[in-house]
């Protein structure tokens, strides 16, 4: 087999879910030694194509050939035995086990009936070295960052794969440096002849790492292209099915905030998590929180919403002061919080879209103030339309939605509470390029109508477009602030890297 030879071929694959034709006669070809992007809007069918290939769902119709031979995988395990391994965005490893155990779980090496720990540790080290990773394999996986955990999942997949590696949105929780680390691994595997399927909503990454692109729209194949011959605007035009130009930035032209301070945090600290941070948000103001992964952005958001308690400092909401906060109180006080980790703090899988949308509103009103079904339906429909949530019905279980559409439901949940302050932690992660623009526009509209927003995003450009002011955190400390025309990627990156240099005083209540 040589690089360029067809490794995997899917022919005329169809799959229907109740009310949804998720795939119609899709063809897909993966070659040896290539990284192949699978692109499409939220709900286009990318994950479904992967899931029917890997035996998560049976396909209604279609054929799959691996190295020219027809195959049928009836379960992910069978797919793995055939040489097809998948790493999903949500890592399903056991963080309480060691790195080595995670690599060999379900296939622990044995010697005379007992687990051969020595061999397992030696093999693990060798496997990780192949990916240029230097970890203590005896340490618990939870001692490592999400990025490293992701790499361990990939190492495990690579070890069991005989040629096909599928990565469904693996980079959405990695920072720029970690993405590069992952790409280095992908390049190495590609050079070894592996075929890699890569799903992402970050267009820049597609152009950086992929050789070819297959585009799906509404469950149908649009086409297959060489990455170097497809412009960004053609790519998006094919994805959304209408003309798209790299839009002029939706950047705020004018700020619409008033002097009224909606929320002020004064010297909030939490041991091991946040050194004193003081920050206030005015009515109608959008404040961005910038910093590297682990700089304390999400930790700070957790303090404001009361998921974690501050050790010292006070928080002022309107005229009231709070020494401690908890989520219930926060919701009553008019705070909404769209968390970063939606799998843990977000969706309730067994509930419907409607139920997920009204959840926080119901909590705000209290359980004795039940929202009538009709009203619930009205609210759910409004947000399904506003955010273009792709579903056959609001009574669909939320875990049947595509990843990006689940995301939109969580955003809807908090908008439905009509908060005074909305905290958005990575609001467009996993959202397709078309909807990203719409969500940014929505944020600007909401601010104009008087909502105060605290936004955290790893995409600096996104914050620059939305925010009136950006506060930079570094090493769990506030190191500076940039506003207005001074906000650009270079100035923010500089502050993130160097810290200090704050020029403006931020407003504080009572001073
Ligand atoms: N288990 C399921 N039951 C019912 N419908 C489903 C199920 N899984 C997926 N769907 C539907 O199939 C369609 C395709 O979903 P899929 O998850 O493949 O989209 P995607 O391209 O991966 O989108 P995203 O970018 O948001 O991850 C969507 O309309 C989705 O609601
Ligand atoms: Mg998906």
């Amino acid at each position: 087999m040589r690089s360029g030879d067809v490794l995997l071929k899917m022919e005329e694959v169809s799959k229907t879910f109740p009310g949804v034709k998720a795939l119609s006669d899709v063809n897909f070809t993966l070659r040896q030694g290539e990284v192949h992007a699978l692109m499409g809007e939220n709900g286009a069918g990318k994950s479904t194509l992967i899931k029917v290939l890997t035996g998560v769902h049976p396909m209604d119709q279609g054929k799959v050939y691996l190295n020219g031979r027809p195959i049928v995988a009836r379960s992910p395990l069978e797919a793995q035995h055939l040489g097809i391994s998948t790493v999903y965005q949500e890592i399903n490893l056991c963080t309480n086990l060691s790195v080595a155990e995670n690599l060999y779980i379900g296939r622990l090496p044995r010697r005379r009936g007992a687990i051969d720990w020595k061999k397992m540790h030696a093999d693990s080290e060798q496997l990780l070295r192949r990916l240029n990773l230097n970890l203590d394999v005896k340490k618990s996986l939870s001692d490592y960052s999400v990025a490293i955990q992701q790499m361990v999942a990939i190492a495990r997949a690579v070890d069991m794969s005989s040629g096909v590696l599928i990565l469904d949105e693996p980079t959405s929780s990695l920072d720029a440096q970690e993405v590069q680390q992952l790409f280095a691994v992908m390049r190495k595997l590609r050079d070894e002849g592996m075929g890699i399927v890569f799903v992402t909503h970050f267009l820049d990454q597609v152009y950086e790492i992929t050789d070819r692109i297959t585009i799906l729209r509404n469950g149908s194949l649009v086409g297959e292209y060489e990455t170097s011959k497809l412009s960004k605007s053609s790519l998006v035009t094919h994805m959304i099915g209408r003309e798209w130009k790299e839009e002029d930035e939706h950047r705020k032209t004018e700020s619409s905030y008033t002097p009224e301070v909606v929320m002020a945090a004064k010297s909030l600290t939490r041991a091991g998590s946040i050194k004193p941070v003081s920050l206030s948000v005015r009515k109608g103001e959008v404040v961005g929180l910038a910093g590297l992964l682990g700089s304390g952005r999400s930790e700070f958001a957790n303090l404001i919403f009361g998921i974690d308690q501050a050790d010292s400092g006070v928080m002022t909401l309107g005229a009231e002061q709070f020494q401690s906060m908890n989520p219930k109180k926060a919701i009553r006080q008019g705070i909404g919080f769209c968390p970063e980790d939606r799998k843990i703090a977000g969706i309730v899988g067994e509930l419907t879209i409607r139920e997920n949308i009204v959840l926080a509103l119901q909590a705000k009103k209290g359980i004795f103030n039940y929202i009538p079904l009709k009203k619930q339906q009205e609210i759910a429909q409004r947000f399904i339309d506003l955010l273009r949530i792709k579903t056959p019905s609001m009574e669909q279980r939320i875990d049947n939605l595509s990843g990006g559409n689940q995301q939109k439901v969580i955003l809807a949940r908090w908008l439905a509470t009509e908060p005074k302050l909305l905290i958005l932690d990575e609001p467009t992660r996993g959202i397709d390029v078309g909807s990203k623009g719409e969500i940014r526009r929505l944020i600007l509209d909401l601010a104009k109508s008087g909502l105060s927003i605290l936004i955290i995003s790893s995409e600096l450009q996104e914050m620059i477009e939305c925010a009136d002011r950006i506060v930079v955190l570094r090493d769990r400390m506030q190191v500076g602030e940039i506003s207005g025309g001074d906000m650009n990627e270079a100035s923010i990156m500089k502050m993130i890297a160097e810290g200090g240099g704050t020029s403006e005083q931020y407003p504080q209540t009572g001073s």
Side-chain angles (χ1 to χ4, degrees):
M1 266 254 182
R2 285 160 304 132
S3 180
D5 285 353
V6 171
L7 183 60
L8 176 85
K9 204 175 179 85
M10 299 178 77
E11 271 180 11
E12 311 275 302
V13 172
S14 295
K15 174 73 190 172
T16 306
F17 293 111
V20 184
K21 180 113 204 201
L23 298 171
S24 338
D25 298 324
V26 172
N27 295 314
F28 176 72
T29 305
L30 178 69
R31 291 169 197 280
Q32 279 230 309
E34 75 164 346
V35 179
H36 195 129
L38 188 55
M39 304 291 295
E41 288 183 290
N42 295 131
K46 304 177 297 291
S47 296
T48 304
L49 189 70
I50 291 166
K51 285 177 180 164
V52 297
L53 170 66
T54 55
V56 176
H57 301 306
M59 56 180 81
D60 301 342
Q61 192 190 299
K63 289 208 172 67
V64 181
Y65 301 90
L66 185 65
N67 293 316
R69 288 210 313 273
I71 57 158
V72 179
R74 287 176 208 85
S75 69
L77 199 65
E78 249 185 68
Q80 218 151 58
H81 287 315
L82 288 164
I84 304 171
S85 291
T86 314
V87 177
Y88 291 100
Q89 181 186 342
E90 310 86 46
I91 302 162
N92 31 26
L93 295 177
C94 307
T95 47
N96 56 335
L97 297 182
S98 72
V99 171
E101 283 170 299
N102 271 290
L103 287 170
Y104 287 98
I105 209 167
R107 50 185 194 126
L108 297 172
R110 286 178 188 272
R111 195 156 167 258
R112 291 196 209 106
I115 294 172
D116 190 345
W117 294 100
K118 220 169 150 186
K119 178 170 168 35
M120 185 169 86
H121 289 142
D123 288 355
S124 298
E125 275 163 14
Q126 199 186 350
L127 172 57
L128 292 172
R129 260 201 305 276
R130 185 175 162 202
L131 307 190
N132 298 326
L133 289 173
N134 195 0
L135 310 181
D136 181 346
V137 299
K138 292 177 194 161
K139 262 188 153 173
S140 162
L141 190 63
S142 58
D143 291 341
Y144 290 102
S145 68
V146 174
I148 295 295
Q149 294 179 17
Q150 186 106 303
M151 304 283 186
V152 171
I154 290 171
R156 178 183 159 85
V158 165
D159 194 41
M160 297 198 290
S161 161
S162 62
V164 180
L165 177 66
I166 302 170
L167 304 171
D168 194 349
E169 299 195 45
T171 57
S172 51
S173 54
L174 306 186
D175 69 25
Q177 197 190 336
E178 292 164 335
V179 169
Q180 287 311 318
Q181 209 176 344
L182 172 65
F183 282 2
V185 169
M186 286 167 68
R187 288 193 185 102
K188 188 150 191 278
L189 296 170
R190 166 173 67 188
D191 295 344
E192 289 174 13
M194 204 162 219
I196 302 174
V197 180
F198 181 49
V199 180
T200 184
H201 288 292
F202 296 108
L203 300 189
D204 292 345
Q205 295 182 0
V206 171
Y207 283 96
E208 186 177 344
I209 191 81
T210 73
D211 304 292
R212 289 191 309 147
I213 302 175
T214 290
I215 302 174
L216 300 180
R217 186 167 72 237
N218 268 325
S220 297
L221 175 69
V222 177
E224 189 199 272
Y225 310 85
E226 271 179 57
T227 308
S228 59
K229 293 187 180 147
L230 187 69
S231 71
K232 203 168 174 177
S233 54
S234 315
L235 166 62
V236 180
T237 299
H238 288 313
M239 281 170 63
I240 65 180
R242 62 193 143 78
E243 187 71 22
W244 185 88
K245 291 202 202 75
E246 189 137 32
E247 281 158 298
D248 5 2
E249 290 167 17
H250 300 301
R251 185 169 183 161
K252 281 199 137 147
T253 41
E254 54 190 282
S255 291
S256 45
Y257 58 84
T258 71
E260 182 192 340
V261 173
V262 170
M263 188 280 294
K266 270 197 202 160
S267 307
L268 286 189
T269 65
R270 179 176 159 83
S273 148
I274 287 288
K275 297 173 192 163
V277 173
S278 299
L279 179 150
S280 62
V281 187
R282 288 169 280 206
K283 189 171 160 62
E285 187 179 32
V286 182
V287 177
L289 270 186
L292 299 178
L293 213 67
S295 60
R297 296 168 304 175
S298 299
E299 287 83 351
F300 181 71
N302 285 348
L303 288 189
I304 302 286
F305 195 63
I307 291 172
D308 294 325
Q309 262 64 53
D311 297 333
S312 65
V314 292
M315 198 169 126
T316 313
L317 293 167
E320 279 188 87
Q321 276 211 347
F322 298 89
Q323 229 89 50
S324 72
M325 189 43 75
N326 64 60
K328 216 166 157 181
K329 201 148 95 183
I331 294 172
R332 299 253 158 87
Q333 290 296 324
I335 303 181
F337 180 37
C338 208
E340 174 184 31
D341 196 336
R342 276 158 283 257
K343 274 280 176 267
I344 295 170
I347 67 163
V348 186
E350 59 273 24
L351 296 185
T352 66
I353 295 167
R354 169 179 54 79
E355 290 165 325
N356 268 284
I357 290 180
V358 299
L359 202 72
L361 181 60
Q362 187 64 70
K364 187 178 186 183
K365 288 183 181 284
I367 48 167
F368 298 112
N369 204 344
Y370 184 73
I371 308 165
L373 183 62
K374 188 126 193 281
K375 181 82 192 150
Q376 292 188 24
Q377 288 166 337
E378 250 171 57
I379 296 168
Q381 194 57 52
R382 178 150 54 90
F383 287 106
I384 288 173
D385 295 341
L386 181 69
L387 300 175
R388 292 200 310 125
I389 296 170
K390 192 171 182 234
T391 176
S393 148
M394 69 173 73
E395 300 306 324
Q396 178 81 274
R397 271 176 63 144
I398 190 174
D399 50 9
N400 287 344
L401 290 189
S402 79
N405 283 295
Q406 292 183 3
Q407 185 107 339
K408 291 181 182 179
V409 171
I410 301 306
L411 185 57
R413 172 190 298 169
W414 293 106
L415 292 177
T417 64
E418 297 181 356
K420 294 193 199 93
L421 171 70
L422 182 60
I423 305 170
L424 299 171
D425 196 350
E426 303 288 357
T428 65
R429 183 182 285 174
I431 301 272
D432 67 53
V433 53
S435 302
K436 257 183 192 167
E438 282 166 30
I439 287 179
R440 288 175 202 175
R441 220 160 319 166
L442 181 71
I443 290 173
L444 296 183
D445 287 348
L446 288 168
K448 224 182 208 159
S449 69
L451 178 62
S452 305
I453 295 172
L454 189 61
I455 181 173
I456 299 172
S457 173
S458 309
E459 288 179 68
L460 286 182
Q461 197 52 39
E462 177 162 280
M463 281 203 291
I464 294 166
E465 284 170 25
C466 297
D468 297 296
R469 186 155 64 91
I470 292 177
V471 171
V472 178
L473 299 184
R474 178 189 153 100
D475 295 334
R476 308 170 182 285
M477 246 170 71
Q478 191 173 5
V479 294
E481 161 174 335
I482 311 175
S483 60
D486 295 340
M487 293 188 297
N488 56 56
E489 287 201 33
S491 65
I492 299 169
M493 287 305 292
K494 188 155 184 274
M495 197 172 277
I496 288 175
E498 295 169 3
T502 171
S503 53
E504 269 193 40
Q505 193 57 39
Y506 37 87
Q508 301 197 335
T509 43
S511 64

